[in-house]
Amino acid sequence: EERTRDELLPFLAEGIDDEDEVLLAMASSLGKMYDHVGGEAHAHHLLPPLELLLTVEENTVRDAASASAQSISERLPQESFQNQYANMLSRLATKEWFTARMSSAALISLAYPKLKKEQQEELLQLFAHLCQDDTPMVRRVAAQYLGKMVENAVTAVGRQSLEEGGIVTSLLIPLYEELASNEQPDSVRLQTTENCVAFGRVMGNLASQGSLTESELALVQRLLPLIVAT
């Protein structure tokens, strides 16, 4: 286990310029090495090579690295998740390479509920920037995961996120409206269909707990034209 951490992982990190087939195998394998690096106490050592793989150009490699990163993150102790993993997401979201920003959009939305409050605020702002990124491919991925971000924001913050001035109403829904507009490329705009489903799930869950509040009903009325247009 110690040799894996001290020798194998640094060696893998140096091989990021290898053929795509090798990188794909590497990205998939890293998600299965939790026990081989020493389990919970040392799982964060898997993040540096994954961070590099999350920036490569080939989609299949990045997708495999994202799946491995998500798998490892679910088994990290809280301290490692809120330190090494959260810091990795921040770095990816602000890298010059758009491929890194694409990877970060998905992972931030999934990580949101387990972050500390100040980290939630920071990464939510980074996610908002990704939704408005200059590169359409980054906006496409952010749009794809916007619904999951809404769901996780409501889970983490509660119904107050849907009140006037709440993070869903004041930040995420305006992003949804922007990404669903005709000014966006089809590749971006069509991702918002899944967001309608996610928003419907959120409202359906709240309705099952009792009547919707005035602010929640107003939010539904605000979004109905967009849902119909989609």
mmCIF file of all heavy atoms in Angstrom, residues 158-199:
data_model
loop_
_atom_site.group_PDB
_atom_site.id
_atom_site.type_symbol
_atom_site.label_atom_id
_atom_site.label_comp_id
_atom_site.label_asym_id
_atom_site.label_seq_id
_atom_site.Cartn_x
_atom_site.Cartn_y
_atom_site.Cartn_z
ATOM 1 N N GLY A 158 -32.620 23.581 2.239
ATOM 2 C CA GLY A 158 -34.024 23.492 2.641
ATOM 3 C C GLY A 158 -34.906 24.402 1.804
ATOM 4 O O GLY A 158 -34.456 25.032 0.838
ATOM 5 N N ARG A 159 -36.156 24.519 2.204
ATOM 6 C CA ARG A 159 -37.143 25.264 1.419
ATOM 7 C C ARG A 159 -36.830 26.751 1.346
ATOM 8 O O ARG A 159 -37.305 27.436 0.441
ATOM 9 C CB ARG A 159 -38.553 25.052 2.007
ATOM 10 C CG ARG A 159 -39.005 23.609 1.930
ATOM 11 C CD ARG A 159 -40.390 23.385 2.499
ATOM 12 N NE ARG A 159 -41.436 23.741 1.535
ATOM 13 C CZ ARG A 159 -42.610 23.137 1.485
ATOM 14 N NH1 ARG A 159 -42.878 22.137 2.321
ATOM 15 N NH2 ARG A 159 -43.513 23.516 0.602
ATOM 16 N N GLN A 160 -36.018 27.233 2.273
ATOM 17 C CA GLN A 160 -35.672 28.656 2.230
ATOM 18 C C GLN A 160 -34.901 29.006 0.971
ATOM 19 O O GLN A 160 -34.876 30.159 0.534
ATOM 20 C CB GLN A 160 -34.863 29.049 3.469
ATOM 21 C CG GLN A 160 -33.464 28.442 3.524
ATOM 22 C CD GLN A 160 -32.778 28.726 4.844
ATOM 23 O OE1 GLN A 160 -33.278 28.401 5.918
ATOM 24 N NE2 GLN A 160 -31.614 29.354 4.764
ATOM 25 N N SER A 161 -34.290 28.003 0.347
ATOM 26 C CA SER A 161 -33.570 28.253 -0.911
ATOM 27 C C SER A 161 -34.535 28.636 -2.025
ATOM 28 O O SER A 161 -34.117 29.224 -3.032
ATOM 29 C CB SER A 161 -32.775 27.012 -1.320
ATOM 30 O OG SER A 161 -33.648 25.921 -1.584
ATOM 31 N N LEU A 162 -35.822 28.309 -1.863
ATOM 32 C CA LEU A 162 -36.832 28.597 -2.884
ATOM 33 C C LEU A 162 -37.603 29.874 -2.595
ATOM 34 O O LEU A 162 -38.452 30.283 -3.388
ATOM 35 C CB LEU A 162 -37.820 27.425 -2.981
ATOM 36 C CG LEU A 162 -37.215 26.090 -3.443
ATOM 37 C CD1 LEU A 162 -38.159 24.943 -3.131
ATOM 38 C CD2 LEU A 162 -36.892 26.130 -4.923
ATOM 39 N N GLU A 163 -37.313 30.493 -1.459
ATOM 40 C CA GLU A 163 -37.980 31.749 -1.129
ATOM 41 C C GLU A 163 -37.369 32.890 -1.942
ATOM 42 O O GLU A 163 -36.297 32.741 -2.536
ATOM 43 C CB GLU A 163 -37.844 32.041 0.373
ATOM 44 C CG GLU A 163 -38.559 31.018 1.253
ATOM 45 C CD GLU A 163 -38.285 31.250 2.731
ATOM 46 O OE1 GLU A 163 -37.514 32.189 3.051
ATOM 47 O OE2 GLU A 163 -38.817 30.490 3.563
ATOM 48 N N GLU A 164 -38.056 34.009 -1.960
ATOM 49 C CA GLU A 164 -37.514 35.179 -2.652
ATOM 50 C C GLU A 164 -36.168 35.552 -2.025
ATOM 51 O O GLU A 164 -36.063 35.736 -0.816
ATOM 52 C CB GLU A 164 -38.489 36.358 -2.552
ATOM 53 C CG GLU A 164 -38.080 37.549 -3.386
ATOM 54 C CD GLU A 164 -39.120 38.662 -3.371
ATOM 55 O OE1 GLU A 164 -40.207 38.455 -2.795
ATOM 56 O OE2 GLU A 164 -38.837 39.734 -3.920
ATOM 57 N N GLY A 165 -35.149 35.642 -2.845
ATOM 58 C CA GLY A 165 -33.808 35.911 -2.335
ATOM 59 C C GLY A 165 -33.017 34.660 -2.015
ATOM 60 O O GLY A 165 -31.826 34.749 -1.714
ATOM 61 N N GLY A 166 -33.660 33.474 -2.047
ATOM 62 C CA GLY A 166 -32.953 32.218 -1.809
ATOM 63 C C GLY A 166 -32.051 31.877 -2.985
ATOM 64 O O GLY A 166 -32.202 32.416 -4.087
ATOM 65 N N ILE A 167 -31.132 30.950 -2.776
ATOM 66 C CA ILE A 167 -30.132 30.692 -3.812
ATOM 67 C C ILE A 167 -30.739 30.095 -5.079
ATOM 68 O O ILE A 167 -30.248 30.349 -6.181
ATOM 69 C CB ILE A 167 -28.994 29.784 -3.294
ATOM 70 C CG1 ILE A 167 -29.545 28.452 -2.770
ATOM 71 C CG2 ILE A 167 -28.175 30.481 -2.252
ATOM 72 C CD1 ILE A 167 -28.457 27.450 -2.436
ATOM 73 N N VAL A 168 -31.799 29.315 -4.938
ATOM 74 C CA VAL A 168 -32.428 28.762 -6.137
ATOM 75 C C VAL A 168 -33.124 29.863 -6.919
ATOM 76 O O VAL A 168 -32.950 30.004 -8.134
ATOM 77 C CB VAL A 168 -33.422 27.641 -5.768
ATOM 78 C CG1 VAL A 168 -34.228 27.210 -6.994
ATOM 79 C CG2 VAL A 168 -32.680 26.442 -5.178
ATOM 80 N N THR A 169 -33.902 30.672 -6.206
ATOM 81 C CA THR A 169 -34.689 31.720 -6.866
ATOM 82 C C THR A 169 -33.820 32.835 -7.439
ATOM 83 O O THR A 169 -34.064 33.312 -8.550
ATOM 84 C CB THR A 169 -35.689 32.325 -5.852
ATOM 85 O OG1 THR A 169 -36.439 31.265 -5.259
ATOM 86 C CG2 THR A 169 -36.636 33.292 -6.534
ATOM 87 N N SER A 170 -32.810 33.235 -6.689
ATOM 88 C CA SER A 170 -32.027 34.411 -7.087
ATOM 89 C C SER A 170 -30.839 34.090 -7.979
ATOM 90 O O SER A 170 -30.362 34.946 -8.721
ATOM 91 C CB SER A 170 -31.534 35.150 -5.835
ATOM 92 O OG SER A 170 -30.641 34.321 -5.089
ATOM 93 N N LEU A 171 -30.344 32.832 -7.948
ATOM 94 C CA LEU A 171 -29.143 32.497 -8.707
ATOM 95 C C LEU A 171 -29.382 31.377 -9.721
ATOM 96 O O LEU A 171 -29.121 31.545 -10.915
ATOM 97 C CB LEU A 171 -28.012 32.086 -7.754
ATOM 98 C CG LEU A 171 -26.686 31.682 -8.418
ATOM 99 C CD1 LEU A 171 -26.097 32.864 -9.197
ATOM 100 C CD2 LEU A 171 -25.688 31.178 -7.389
ATOM 101 N N LEU A 172 -29.902 30.241 -9.274
ATOM 102 C CA LEU A 172 -29.975 29.074 -10.158
ATOM 103 C C LEU A 172 -31.074 29.189 -11.205
ATOM 104 O O LEU A 172 -30.866 28.807 -12.369
ATOM 105 C CB LEU A 172 -30.153 27.803 -9.316
ATOM 106 C CG LEU A 172 -28.960 27.457 -8.403
ATOM 107 C CD1 LEU A 172 -29.261 26.234 -7.569
ATOM 108 C CD2 LEU A 172 -27.693 27.248 -9.224
ATOM 109 N N ILE A 173 -32.234 29.699 -10.826
ATOM 110 C CA ILE A 173 -33.310 29.829 -11.812
ATOM 111 C C ILE A 173 -32.972 30.868 -12.891
ATOM 112 O O ILE A 173 -33.222 30.626 -14.074
ATOM 113 C CB ILE A 173 -34.652 30.148 -11.121
ATOM 114 C CG1 ILE A 173 -35.066 28.977 -10.215
ATOM 115 C CG2 ILE A 173 -35.745 30.429 -12.149
ATOM 116 C CD1 ILE A 173 -35.138 27.624 -10.906
ATOM 117 N N PRO A 174 -32.395 32.019 -12.536
ATOM 118 C CA PRO A 174 -31.947 32.926 -13.604
ATOM 119 C C PRO A 174 -30.944 32.277 -14.557
ATOM 120 O O PRO A 174 -30.969 32.549 -15.767
ATOM 121 C CB PRO A 174 -31.307 34.087 -12.834
ATOM 122 C CG PRO A 174 -32.044 34.112 -11.535
ATOM 123 C CD PRO A 174 -32.280 32.667 -11.207
ATOM 124 N N LEU A 175 -30.085 31.400 -14.038
ATOM 125 C CA LEU A 175 -29.157 30.681 -14.906
ATOM 126 C C LEU A 175 -29.922 29.738 -15.827
ATOM 127 O O LEU A 175 -29.595 29.604 -17.012
ATOM 128 C CB LEU A 175 -28.145 29.891 -14.063
ATOM 129 C CG LEU A 175 -27.095 30.716 -13.316
ATOM 130 C CD1 LEU A 175 -26.314 29.835 -12.352
ATOM 131 C CD2 LEU A 175 -26.144 31.405 -14.296
ATOM 132 N N TYR A 176 -30.933 29.090 -15.278
ATOM 133 C CA TYR A 176 -31.784 28.207 -16.085
ATOM 134 C C TYR A 176 -32.455 28.997 -17.207
ATOM 135 O O TYR A 176 -32.479 28.564 -18.372
ATOM 136 C CB TYR A 176 -32.830 27.560 -15.175
ATOM 137 C CG TYR A 176 -33.901 26.785 -15.895
ATOM 138 C CD1 TYR A 176 -33.642 25.520 -16.423
ATOM 139 C CD2 TYR A 176 -35.174 27.303 -16.063
ATOM 140 C CE1 TYR A 176 -34.623 24.801 -17.088
ATOM 141 C CE2 TYR A 176 -36.164 26.602 -16.722
ATOM 142 C CZ TYR A 176 -35.874 25.350 -17.236
ATOM 143 O OH TYR A 176 -36.846 24.649 -17.893
ATOM 144 N N GLU A 177 -32.972 30.165 -16.871
ATOM 145 C CA GLU A 177 -33.635 31.008 -17.873
ATOM 146 C C GLU A 177 -32.642 31.427 -18.955
ATOM 147 O O GLU A 177 -32.980 31.469 -20.147
ATOM 148 C CB GLU A 177 -34.249 32.233 -17.194
ATOM 149 C CG GLU A 177 -35.426 31.880 -16.279
ATOM 150 C CD GLU A 177 -35.865 33.043 -15.403
ATOM 151 O OE1 GLU A 177 -35.021 33.906 -15.085
ATOM 152 O OE2 GLU A 177 -37.049 33.072 -15.021
ATOM 153 N N GLU A 178 -31.424 31.729 -18.528
ATOM 154 C CA GLU A 178 -30.392 32.152 -19.485
ATOM 155 C C GLU A 178 -29.983 31.015 -20.413
ATOM 156 O O GLU A 178 -29.851 31.187 -21.631
ATOM 157 C CB GLU A 178 -29.174 32.673 -18.713
ATOM 158 C CG GLU A 178 -28.083 33.254 -19.584
ATOM 159 C CD GLU A 178 -26.941 33.846 -18.756
ATOM 160 O OE1 GLU A 178 -27.164 34.183 -17.574
ATOM 161 O OE2 GLU A 178 -25.828 33.959 -19.295
ATOM 162 N N LEU A 179 -29.802 29.819 -19.830
ATOM 163 C CA LEU A 179 -29.359 28.671 -20.612
ATOM 164 C C LEU A 179 -30.461 28.135 -21.525
ATOM 165 O O LEU A 179 -30.172 27.468 -22.522
ATOM 166 C CB LEU A 179 -28.859 27.561 -19.678
ATOM 167 C CG LEU A 179 -27.561 27.877 -18.928
ATOM 168 C CD1 LEU A 179 -27.323 26.876 -17.816
ATOM 169 C CD2 LEU A 179 -26.380 27.891 -19.890
ATOM 170 N N ALA A 180 -31.716 28.415 -21.182
ATOM 171 C CA ALA A 180 -32.844 27.938 -21.987
ATOM 172 C C ALA A 180 -33.228 28.919 -23.088
ATOM 173 O O ALA A 180 -34.112 28.628 -23.896
ATOM 174 C CB ALA A 180 -34.054 27.687 -21.086
ATOM 175 N N SER A 181 -32.574 30.064 -23.147
ATOM 176 C CA SER A 181 -32.962 31.100 -24.104
ATOM 177 C C SER A 181 -32.548 30.721 -25.523
ATOM 178 O O SER A 181 -31.643 29.917 -25.742
ATOM 179 C CB SER A 181 -32.326 32.443 -23.726
ATOM 180 O OG SER A 181 -30.944 32.435 -24.030
ATOM 181 N N ASN A 182 -33.229 31.305 -26.488
ATOM 182 C CA ASN A 182 -32.945 31.031 -27.893
ATOM 183 C C ASN A 182 -31.582 31.556 -28.326
ATOM 184 O O ASN A 182 -31.110 31.214 -29.420
ATOM 185 C CB ASN A 182 -34.041 31.643 -28.776
ATOM 186 C CG ASN A 182 -35.362 30.911 -28.625
ATOM 187 O OD1 ASN A 182 -35.379 29.708 -28.366
ATOM 188 N ND2 ASN A 182 -36.462 31.633 -28.761
ATOM 189 N N GLU A 183 -30.970 32.382 -27.492
ATOM 190 C CA GLU A 183 -29.648 32.916 -27.827
ATOM 191 C C GLU A 183 -28.544 31.871 -27.639
ATOM 192 O O GLU A 183 -27.428 32.055 -28.115
ATOM 193 C CB GLU A 183 -29.347 34.147 -26.966
ATOM 194 C CG GLU A 183 -30.305 35.315 -27.236
ATOM 195 C CD GLU A 183 -30.046 36.488 -26.301
ATOM 196 O OE1 GLU A 183 -29.070 36.416 -25.535
ATOM 197 O OE2 GLU A 183 -30.818 37.460 -26.354
ATOM 198 N N GLN A 184 -28.879 30.802 -26.931
ATOM 199 C CA GLN A 184 -27.893 29.747 -26.697
ATOM 200 C C GLN A 184 -27.852 28.789 -27.884
ATOM 201 O O GLN A 184 -28.863 28.581 -28.574
ATOM 202 C CB GLN A 184 -28.264 28.951 -25.429
ATOM 203 C CG GLN A 184 -28.224 29.744 -24.154
ATOM 204 C CD GLN A 184 -26.813 30.020 -23.670
ATOM 205 O OE1 GLN A 184 -25.833 29.491 -24.192
ATOM 206 N NE2 GLN A 184 -26.692 30.859 -22.655
ATOM 207 N N PRO A 185 -26.687 28.168 -28.133
ATOM 208 C CA PRO A 185 -26.630 27.109 -29.149
ATOM 209 C C PRO A 185 -27.563 25.954 -28.760
ATOM 210 O O PRO A 185 -27.822 25.738 -27.567
ATOM 211 C CB PRO A 185 -25.159 26.653 -29.111
ATOM 212 C CG PRO A 185 -24.415 27.735 -28.416
ATOM 213 C CD PRO A 185 -25.383 28.403 -27.488
ATOM 214 N N ASP A 186 -28.057 25.228 -29.740
ATOM 215 C CA ASP A 186 -28.956 24.107 -29.453
ATOM 216 C C ASP A 186 -28.330 23.111 -28.483
ATOM 217 O O ASP A 186 -29.017 22.539 -27.634
ATOM 218 C CB ASP A 186 -29.339 23.389 -30.744
ATOM 219 C CG ASP A 186 -30.331 24.190 -31.571
ATOM 220 O OD1 ASP A 186 -30.898 25.160 -31.035
ATOM 221 O OD2 ASP A 186 -30.527 23.843 -32.754
ATOM 222 N N SER A 187 -27.022 22.899 -28.627
ATOM 223 C CA SER A 187 -26.345 21.922 -27.764
ATOM 224 C C SER A 187 -26.452 22.293 -26.298
ATOM 225 O O SER A 187 -26.455 21.421 -25.421
ATOM 226 C CB SER A 187 -24.868 21.807 -28.155
ATOM 227 O OG SER A 187 -24.202 23.048 -27.974
ATOM 228 N N VAL A 188 -26.544 23.591 -26.009
ATOM 229 C CA VAL A 188 -26.698 24.076 -24.636
ATOM 230 C C VAL A 188 -28.173 24.096 -24.243
ATOM 231 O O VAL A 188 -28.577 23.559 -23.210
ATOM 232 C CB VAL A 188 -26.096 25.489 -24.477
ATOM 233 C CG1 VAL A 188 -26.385 26.044 -23.083
ATOM 234 C CG2 VAL A 188 -24.599 25.458 -24.741
ATOM 235 N N ARG A 189 -28.984 24.687 -25.090
ATOM 236 C CA ARG A 189 -30.396 24.907 -24.761
ATOM 237 C C ARG A 189 -31.150 23.597 -24.542
ATOM 238 O O ARG A 189 -31.999 23.504 -23.649
ATOM 239 C CB ARG A 189 -31.052 25.716 -25.883
ATOM 240 C CG ARG A 189 -32.476 26.132 -25.624
ATOM 241 C CD ARG A 189 -32.934 27.146 -26.664
ATOM 242 N NE ARG A 189 -32.689 26.654 -28.022
ATOM 243 C CZ ARG A 189 -33.494 25.791 -28.651
ATOM 244 N NH1 ARG A 189 -34.567 25.335 -28.045
ATOM 245 N NH2 ARG A 189 -33.210 25.401 -29.880
ATOM 246 N N LEU A 190 -30.825 22.582 -25.332
ATOM 247 C CA LEU A 190 -31.562 21.321 -25.226
ATOM 248 C C LEU A 190 -31.261 20.562 -23.944
ATOM 249 O O LEU A 190 -32.021 19.670 -23.557
ATOM 250 C CB LEU A 190 -31.249 20.443 -26.453
ATOM 251 C CG LEU A 190 -31.768 20.993 -27.788
ATOM 252 C CD1 LEU A 190 -31.350 20.107 -28.946
ATOM 253 C CD2 LEU A 190 -33.284 21.159 -27.749
ATOM 254 N N GLN A 191 -30.168 20.902 -23.266
ATOM 255 C CA GLN A 191 -29.854 20.256 -21.984
ATOM 256 C C GLN A 191 -30.866 20.636 -20.904
ATOM 257 O O GLN A 191 -30.998 19.942 -19.904
ATOM 258 C CB GLN A 191 -28.443 20.641 -21.527
ATOM 259 C CG GLN A 191 -27.331 20.210 -22.459
ATOM 260 C CD GLN A 191 -27.245 18.709 -22.626
ATOM 261 O OE1 GLN A 191 -27.517 17.952 -21.700
ATOM 262 N NE2 GLN A 191 -26.889 18.285 -23.823
ATOM 263 N N THR A 192 -31.558 21.749 -21.105
ATOM 264 C CA THR A 192 -32.460 22.231 -20.060
ATOM 265 C C THR A 192 -33.708 21.372 -19.915
ATOM 266 O O THR A 192 -34.441 21.504 -18.938
ATOM 267 C CB THR A 192 -32.878 23.690 -20.336
ATOM 268 O OG1 THR A 192 -33.503 23.766 -21.621
ATOM 269 C CG2 THR A 192 -31.681 24.609 -20.314
ATOM 270 N N THR A 193 -33.968 20.471 -20.871
ATOM 271 C CA THR A 193 -35.107 19.560 -20.748
ATOM 272 C C THR A 193 -35.016 18.739 -19.473
ATOM 273 O O THR A 193 -36.001 18.576 -18.740
ATOM 274 C CB THR A 193 -35.167 18.623 -21.977
ATOM 275 O OG1 THR A 193 -35.237 19.415 -23.160
ATOM 276 C CG2 THR A 193 -36.388 17.724 -21.901
ATOM 277 N N GLU A 194 -33.823 18.203 -19.207
ATOM 278 C CA GLU A 194 -33.633 17.413 -17.983
ATOM 279 C C GLU A 194 -33.822 18.270 -16.735
ATOM 280 O O GLU A 194 -34.234 17.778 -15.685
ATOM 281 C CB GLU A 194 -32.242 16.773 -17.989
ATOM 282 C CG GLU A 194 -32.084 15.646 -18.980
ATOM 283 C CD GLU A 194 -33.051 14.505 -18.713
ATOM 284 O OE1 GLU A 194 -33.217 14.112 -17.546
ATOM 285 O OE2 GLU A 194 -33.664 14.024 -19.688
ATOM 286 N N ASN A 195 -33.509 19.551 -16.846
ATOM 287 C CA ASN A 195 -33.695 20.439 -15.701
ATOM 288 C C ASN A 195 -35.169 20.570 -15.346
ATOM 289 O O ASN A 195 -35.530 20.712 -14.174
ATOM 290 C CB ASN A 195 -33.105 21.820 -15.998
ATOM 291 C CG ASN A 195 -31.602 21.775 -16.175
ATOM 292 O OD1 ASN A 195 -30.929 20.930 -15.610
ATOM 293 N ND2 ASN A 195 -31.070 22.680 -16.981
ATOM 294 N N CYS A 196 -36.021 20.556 -16.349
ATOM 295 C CA CYS A 196 -37.467 20.594 -16.091
ATOM 296 C C CYS A 196 -37.885 19.401 -15.250
ATOM 297 O O CYS A 196 -38.695 19.518 -14.316
ATOM 298 C CB CYS A 196 -38.243 20.585 -17.409
ATOM 299 S SG CYS A 196 -37.918 21.982 -18.490
ATOM 300 N N VAL A 197 -37.336 18.233 -15.592
ATOM 301 C CA VAL A 197 -37.650 17.010 -14.852
ATOM 302 C C VAL A 197 -37.177 17.132 -13.404
ATOM 303 O O VAL A 197 -37.895 16.783 -12.464
ATOM 304 C CB VAL A 197 -36.999 15.786 -15.537
ATOM 305 C CG1 VAL A 197 -37.237 14.520 -14.716
ATOM 306 C CG2 VAL A 197 -37.519 15.624 -16.955
ATOM 307 N N ALA A 198 -35.956 17.637 -13.234
ATOM 308 C CA ALA A 198 -35.395 17.789 -11.887
ATOM 309 C C ALA A 198 -36.216 18.777 -11.065
ATOM 310 O O ALA A 198 -36.504 18.533 -9.882
ATOM 311 C CB ALA A 198 -33.941 18.260 -11.968
ATOM 312 N N PHE A 199 -36.599 19.894 -11.686
ATOM 313 C CA PHE A 199 -37.403 20.887 -10.978
ATOM 314 C C PHE A 199 -38.762 20.294 -10.603
ATOM 315 O O PHE A 199 -39.274 20.538 -9.505
ATOM 316 C CB PHE A 199 -37.587 22.131 -11.847
ATOM 317 C CG PHE A 199 -38.284 23.249 -11.148
ATOM 318 C CD1 PHE A 199 -37.636 24.005 -10.184
ATOM 319 C CD2 PHE A 199 -39.613 23.547 -11.431
ATOM 320 C CE1 PHE A 199 -38.290 25.031 -9.519
ATOM 321 C CE2 PHE A 199 -40.266 24.571 -10.774
ATOM 322 C CZ PHE A 199 -39.610 25.325 -9.822
#
